[in-house]
Every structure is written in C-alpha cells, then in structure tokens.
Amino acid sequence: MMNERLENAFCVQINKELYSAYLYLSMQTYFKEMNLEGFANWMNVQVQEELAHAMGMYNYVLERGGKVTLMNVEKPDDIWESALNVFEKVLEHEQYVTSSINDLTSVAEEVKDRAAISLLQWYIKEQVEEEANVSNVLGNLKLAQNDPRALLLLDRELATRTFVAPVIA
Ligand code: OFO
C-alpha cells in the first residue's frame, strides 16, 4: 500500500510530465510552422519521452496498489520569438522539473518508501541527461546567433534524433 501523501505527490508529478509533453508538442508545432523539421523532430522525441516519464510513474502507482488521480493539464504557451527563445524556455522548464522530482524524492524519503526512492533515482539521473541535452542545443543556438546557414546545419543534426523507449526501473 502506498502512503497517501506520496501517492498524491506522484499524481502531481504525472500531471507535470503530461504538461511537459503538451509544452513540447506546442514547441514542435512552432518549429513545423517555421519549416524547421529537424527542430520539430527533436521536440517530437521529447514529447514521447515525457509521455514515457508520465507512464512510468502511472504504472508504478498502480503496481503499488495506489490510486491514480488525473488532473487538468494546463494550456502551454504557443508564442515564441525564436528557436533560441524556445530552448531557453526548455532549459528553464527542465530545471523546474528537476527540482520537482527532487521534492518528490524528499517526500518518498520522509515516508521511508524505499521502492519509490529507488524508482526516483532513475528520474534523477534522467533529469541530468535532459538538462545536458538541452544545454547542448542551447549552446549551439547561441553560437549560430542570426546566421541562417548555421541554423539550418543544426536543424539537419537535430533531424537525426530518434526515440528509444526508456526502461524505467
Ligand atoms: Fe520528464 O523530463 Fe522533461 O520534463
């Protein structure tokens, strides 16, 4: 049986992961409209990753005999100034999610749920990777500045990203 406070904290985090997917889908749409298919592909992989993150927690709560309560998913922003502006927002968002996962882990520690702590270690490591990936693209965008050729080269590179379903355990 799951501790009720922890169960609720997991449900809030599931909602944040679903919001992340929704936010990145909105960003994917922006890049599609800009004809930057590589950037759109990068966002599409991100959408799938976020859905996998949400489902990892969803399955975990159910496996533990808990109840999943689904909440409203907030409308994401859909107006951005540039690719650089989008990736600044992505980094900001991922840093927020990292601190949210850390808070969830603190709840698991407080209620001494060792299985949840173990699962959340995977998410903590995943956030390190997420932030590093985003920082990498952001760094490249800063270098590209207003050079359209550099932007198109980066677009080609981002087109090669593929989704690999994560094994969350
Ligand atoms: Fe789920 O890692 Fe991004 O938000």
Side-chain angles (χ1 to χ4, degrees), residues 55-155:
M55 291 311 292
M57 290 184 181
Y58 170 94
N59 289 331
Y60 178 75
V61 172
L62 292 182
E63 261 174 32
R64 294 290 305 277
K67 177 173 164 45
V68 172
T69 305
L70 296 175
M71 303 162 194
N72 288 340
V73 181
E74 197 187 318
K75 179 188 182 300
D77 281 346
D78 54 8
I79 296 172
W80 289 279
E81 293 157 20
S82 61
L84 179 65
N85 175 236
V86 169
F87 273 84
E88 282 168 345
K89 293 283 176 202
V90 176
L91 184 58
E92 199 180 290
H93 182 69
E94 287 304 327
Q95 287 165 340
Y96 161 73
V97 172
T98 297
S99 90
S100 180
I101 299 264
N102 287 341
D103 290 346
L104 174 58
T105 308
S106 297
V107 177
E109 284 166 350
E110 279 165 36
V111 303
K112 297 189 172 53
D113 188 325
R114 306 231 176 272
I117 294 166
S118 166
L119 175 86
L120 289 166
Q121 294 309 310
W122 184 90
Y123 283 89
I124 289 168
K125 277 191 237 140
E126 174 73 357
Q127 282 308 120
V128 172
E129 209 179 288
E130 292 266 282
E131 286 193 32
N133 284 344
V134 177
S135 295
N136 184 39
V137 180
L138 187 56
N140 286 340
L141 276 169
K142 282 181 181 161
L143 282 175
Q145 290 286 355
N146 297 322
D147 179 353
R149 274 176 312 173
L151 193 68
L152 286 176
L153 272 179
L154 185 54
D155 187 59

Side-chain angles (χ1 to χ4, degrees), residues 12-81:
V12 170
Q13 189 62 40
I14 289 169
N15 181 267
K16 287 180 184 172
E17 300 294 339
L18 291 173
Y19 172 77
S20 299
Y22 215 27
L23 175 65
Y24 297 142
L25 187 61
S26 171
M27 291 171 170
Q28 179 184 335
T29 309
Y30 167 76
F31 285 124
K32 284 258 180 204
E33 285 165 1
M34 299 276 289
N35 293 316
L36 288 168
E37 289 295 332
F39 280 90
N41 172 66
W42 194 96
M43 284 298 167
N44 181 261
V45 172
Q46 201 67 17
V47 169
Q48 295 177 75
E49 287 202 351
E50 298 304 347
L51 292 174
H53 295 168
M55 291 311 292
M57 290 184 181
Y58 170 94
N59 289 331
Y60 178 75
V61 172
L62 292 182
E63 261 174 32
R64 294 290 305 277
K67 177 173 164 45
V68 172
T69 305
L70 296 175
M71 303 162 194
N72 288 340
V73 181
E74 197 187 318
K75 179 188 182 300
D77 281 346
D78 54 8
I79 296 172
W80 289 279
E81 293 157 20

